[in-house]
Structure formats: C-alpha cells, structure tokens
C-alpha cells in the first residue's frame, strides 16, 4: 500500500512539474507491456492506445507515455533488435536437489507454456510443490497425492505460465523440513496485435445476457481436480491438418479501438461438418450451445487438465460420457463468436490456457 501511494506521489509531482512528456516510463531489460501496465496501474490496451503501439514487443530504452502524460506524436518505429521479451536472463541449471529428492524443471519457458516439474529419488513421493509466483496457485488439493509415472518412478507436477506474464516462474519443493526453491526464466511470445474488426452481428454476442451463465459453467470446469485418466500421448482434434488461422497467445482486438485480449486457444480452419475428435481420454463435463463459445465440449482429462472445443455446428458428446482419444465428439462449425468455420481448441491447466501445440504427440508438455 505504501509503495502504491509513493508511486502515485511521484506521478503527481511529475504532472505538477509539467515537464515535456510528463508521465512516461523508460523500458528496462525484462519489462513487458503487461508488467509496465501493472506497475503503473494501467492496462495493456491503454498503453497501446497512448503510444500507438503496433505490437506487444518493447525495446530497452523505449519511452512509453503513461496515462496523464503527453501522447506520442507519431507511431513508434519498430527497432530492428533487442526485443527484451526475447532476451531471457541466464538460464538456470534446470536441476536442483534436496536430500532424497531430485527436482527437474525446464531451463526456460515461454508465456502460455504448460510444463512439468519432475521429482525423483527415495523421498519424491512425500514432496509438496508450490508455484508461489502464480497468485492463487493451488497445485494440489488437501489429500491429493502424487502418483509415480513410468518405469523410472518419477513424480510429475504440471505447471503453466499464465498468458501476459513474463516474470520468472518460482517453484518450491518441500520434504519434511527441507525446502528447495528455484526459478525458471520466461520469454514473451512477441506477436503483433491482430485487429479482427468483427461485424457488430458477431460481437453483439459479447453482450448476450446468457454469457454470465456460460462463464460460470466454464469456471466450474476449470476448478475440477480429478485423477489423471490419460496414459497415451495427446493427439490432434482434426484428422486432417490444414494449418492454423489464429495462433495461441495472439494479442488481438475484436472491434477497431477495442481492448486487447489474448487468444487462449489455437484456431484450426476446416469445413463445417468436419469431425472433431477428443485429443485424449477423459470425461465430458460440458456439452451444449453457448453465446460466445458456440457449440462447446469440455473434456476433463484429470490432473487439472481440460480440453475445450468451440464453435461446433453439432455437439454429439453428452455430459458425463467417458470418451477415448480420437473419438468423435462433434462437428466443426462457426457458432458463437466466430467469423467462419473453424475449431478453436484450448488446453487448460488448473484453469489457465496453455499452448495446445506443447501437448500434441506427448504425454506431458516438456
Ligand atoms: Zn479461437
């Protein structure tokens, strides 16, 4: 609280001085648009508007106008190099240990990655794991126990990097009174903002009164914690690959001048009626028509992992149904907030969207 008041005081004094370009911020290494917005109590959308930014990449030394400052006179010219979001701190070793437990984590991560923290050793099964860098993170519920995986008897905990965050992921592993704490550097995705300029007939769905019920239903699905049911690698949701039309993590606006939102899934264009397949074994926890997601199926795979299939023309799966990898659950369409036939696929870990590509043809993301 004191810090916030202090920051406000600085902002006010800058404004009182009336210096040219008053409230501004000079980008330092490690900053992202999101971190600057948070530190200055504003939003990515507001910084984008004020500074006429074409993308989310920032350059060290770039001066950003903050709310209350003099807006940028001309669009900022993209500098050729030194994109700070692509310059990670020195990678950590990726392995640490405490007595009886070896902890392995990826050396570095990207925003929106799913990942695994692997524990091995004689006391690995007794370890508790936390990701204190994720606010409200709840890796394991009370009474939830880790199960050993594979011949090596490793214990796996799934983690994820929240979209919009490029601060390091901090992990803590505790066994009895011993604690090991480490961090994994995170890089941004550095994608330009995509302006969809959807017609009002499509974006009107954002105002649908049934949206509150839709959001409540998906939040309930995110909160599920059931045992892992898959034992084979994840597989694509469409039998024929035709590429993607909008990538995971893409920052975009729906309406000209509207707020910037991240794309929480990957869009695969396909003709209406194309079979949509379960990406792995699981239980159907939502199946129906919703204002924004359209014809929606949500499959709980256990271990806090759910897959979601949007905009379908037909929903064939039923709530409570057990499905297996490759089983048809519906058909591609353009229902809900959609401008053409495609499948929007999301893979969420404890409610946060992770890159679907990171799961394909693998048992776990790396
Ligand atoms: Zn999409």
């Amino acid at each position: 609280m004191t810090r916030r008041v202090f920051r406000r005081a600085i902002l006010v004094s800058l404004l009182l001085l009336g210096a040219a370009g008053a409230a501004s911020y000079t980008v330092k290494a490690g900053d992202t648009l999101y971190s600057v917005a948070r530190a200055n109590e504003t939003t990515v959308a507001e910084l984008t508007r004020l500074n006429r930014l074409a993308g989310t990449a920032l350059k060290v030394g770039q001066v950003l106008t903050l709310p209350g400052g003099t807006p940028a006179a001309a669009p900022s010219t993209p500098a050729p190099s030194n994109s700070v979001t692509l310059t990670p701190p020195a990678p950590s070793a990726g392995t640490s240990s405490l007595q009886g437990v070896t902890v392995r984590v990826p050396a570095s991560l990207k925003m929106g990655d799913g990942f695994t923290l692997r524990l091995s050793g004689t006391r690995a099964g007794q370890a508790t794991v936390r990701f204190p860098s994720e606010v409200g993170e709840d890796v394991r519920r009370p009474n939830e126990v880790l199960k050993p995986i594979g011949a090596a008897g490793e214990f796996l905990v799934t983690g994820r990097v929240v979209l919009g965050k490029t601060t390091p992921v901090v992990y803590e592993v505790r066994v009895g009174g011993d604690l090991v704490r480490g961090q994994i550097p995170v890089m941004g995705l550095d994608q330009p903002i995509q302006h969809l300029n959807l017609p009002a007939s499509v974006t009107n769905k954002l105002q649908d009164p049934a949206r509150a019920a839709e959001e409540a239903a998906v939040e309930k699905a995110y909160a599920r914690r059931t045992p892992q049911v898959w034992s084979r690698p994840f597989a694509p949701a469409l039998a024929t690959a035709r590429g993607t039309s909008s990538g995971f993590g893409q920052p975009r606006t729906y309406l000209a001048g509207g707020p910037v939102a991240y794309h929480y899934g990957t869009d695969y264009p396909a003709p209406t009626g194309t079979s949509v397949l379960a990406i792995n074994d699981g239980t159907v926890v939502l199946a129906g028509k919703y204002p924004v997601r359209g014809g929606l199926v949500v499959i709980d795979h256990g271990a806090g992992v759910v897959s979601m299939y949007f905009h379908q023309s037909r929903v064939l799966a039923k709530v409570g149904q057990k499905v297996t990898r490759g089983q048809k659950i519906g058909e591609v369409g353009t229902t809900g907030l959609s401008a053409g036939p495609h499948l929007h696929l999301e893979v969420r870990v404890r409610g946060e969207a992770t890159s679907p590509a990171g799961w394909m043809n693998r048992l776990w993301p790396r």
Side-chain angles (χ1 to χ4, degrees), residues 14 21-32 35-37 39-40 47 51 58 61-66:
L14 281 170
S24 64
Y25 177 81
T26 305
V27 175
K28 296 181 195 59
D31 284 341
T32 66
S35 68
V36 173
N40 292 285
L47 288 179
N51 296 279
L58 298 176
Q62 181 178 350
V63 178
L64 292 174
T65 299
L66 300 174

Side-chain angles (χ1 to χ4, degrees), residues 76 80 82 88 92 130 150 182 228 250-251 298 300 349:
S76 59
N82 283 336
S92 65
R130 285 184 62 229
Q228 181 195 341
Q250 173 80 53
V298 179
D300 178 14
V349 176

Side-chain angles (χ1 to χ4, degrees), residues 28-52:
K28 296 181 195 59
D31 284 341
T32 66
L33 208 48
Y34 180 77
S35 68
V36 173
R38 284 234 301 204
N40 292 285
E41 295 169 349
T42 181
T43 62
V44 168
E46 183 65 2
L47 288 179
T48 302
R49 190 187 65 77
L50 278 173
N51 296 279
R52 302 187 186 184

Side-chain angles (χ1 to χ4, degrees), residues 252 263 267 342 344:
R252 57 195 202 171
H263 189 218
D267 288 349
H342 74 284
H344 168 112

Side-chain angles (χ1 to χ4, degrees), residues 253-315:
T253 63
Y254 293 117
L255 283 170
V260 175
Y262 283 104
H263 189 218
Y264 291 118
T266 301
D267 288 349
Y268 303 92
T272 295
T274 304
S275 294
V276 175
L277 315 173
I279 63 170
N280 217 330
D281 302 350
T283 304
V284 176
V285 293
L286 274 183
K289 283 241 153 108
Y290 293 90
V292 172
R293 293 167 181 82
L296 172 70
V297 173
V298 179
I299 299 174
D300 178 14
H301 302 287
V305 179
V306 298
S307 58
M308 309 175 71
Y309 312 77
F310 292 18
H311 311 309
Q312 296 175 92
S313 55
R314 289 181 73 202
V315 168

